[in-house]
Amino acid sequence: MPDVTLTTLQGMKRTGEKIAMLTCYDATFARTASEAGVEMLLIGDSLGMVLQGHDSTLPVSVADMAYHTASVKRGNRGAMIVADMPFMANATLEQTLNNSAELMRAGAHMVKLEGSAWLAEAVGQLAERGIPVCVHMGLTPQAVNLFGGYKVQGRQEAAARRMLEDARALEGAGAAMLLLECVPSELATRISKAVAIPVIGIGAGSGTDGQVLVLHDLLGLSLTGRTPRFVKNFMQGQADIPSAINAYVKAVKAVEFPAEEHGFSA
Ligand code: KIV
Ligand code: NA
């Protein structure tokens, strides 16, 4: 696969080819996923849960993120690498700039920040310094304590309207990409059509420009025994892990995953 850049992803949005993104935390899976056709590797702070065994993403540090980003970078073959800004590492603008720089130096090509329109200033400052930003909206797991649980966001009409306005504002501020987690499928489709930048979804239906899945969920592994409804075990019917990852990529491209039952209604 030739190197995936922002230009590649913008072109895919224009032509309607779905973008396949997968979380990844080490070199071997980075090699396997990039060779299986995954365009974007996300070093998600989900590593706090699936690798470290915490019950939320809050304990993850910038050093943890940089360590795994550097590992992914060594195994990657041409995919775009996105690293999560962990909890409170963007508490101030200065911290946002310094911690984003650390993730970029570790090997990220883009950083992902959880939030909404309040991130506009940080997004603009990072873009001016050459750092592309993905804004993670909807269910932002770092705010689980404020939400009172992992709940679908944007179900009420006012909240849906605000999310659409925030998406437009963030595009205007210079965001390179948006990611919508656990948002009603219809709203995610509306937002994807309203902005020119690529929109990736998880638990957001098939109308977004691409999909992301947590690697362990794709492999049918679970620490908690609870599987969210938007998850699919791609090991089923496959002989090995590379085939399962390739089946995920193919299902995303064919718009077979996510199916209706993986999404949420308003
Ligand atoms: O940390 C993560 O894995 C994520 C994805 C679920 C989008 O942010
Ligand atoms: Na994350």
Side-chain angles (χ1 to χ4, degrees), residues 21 23 25 42-47 57 84 112 114 136 141 179 181 202 212-214 230:
M21 186 185 207
T23 74
Y25 317 97
L42 171 66
I43 300 90
D45 62 353
S46 54
L47 67 83
T57 58
D84 268 354
K112 176 160 78 61
E114 291 187 11
H136 182 155
L179 187 149
E181 176 168 353
I202 178 165
V212 62
L213 209 51
V214 171
F230 53 82

Side-chain angles (χ1 to χ4, degrees), residues 64-89:
D64 291 337
M65 295 307 303
Y67 172 91
H68 289 283
T69 300
S71 303
V72 166
K73 173 199 165 78
R74 289 182 210 113
N76 179 37
R77 286 281 192 265
M80 185 151 186
I81 298 175
V82 185
D84 268 354
M85 180 67 64
F87 178 62
M88 287 302 273

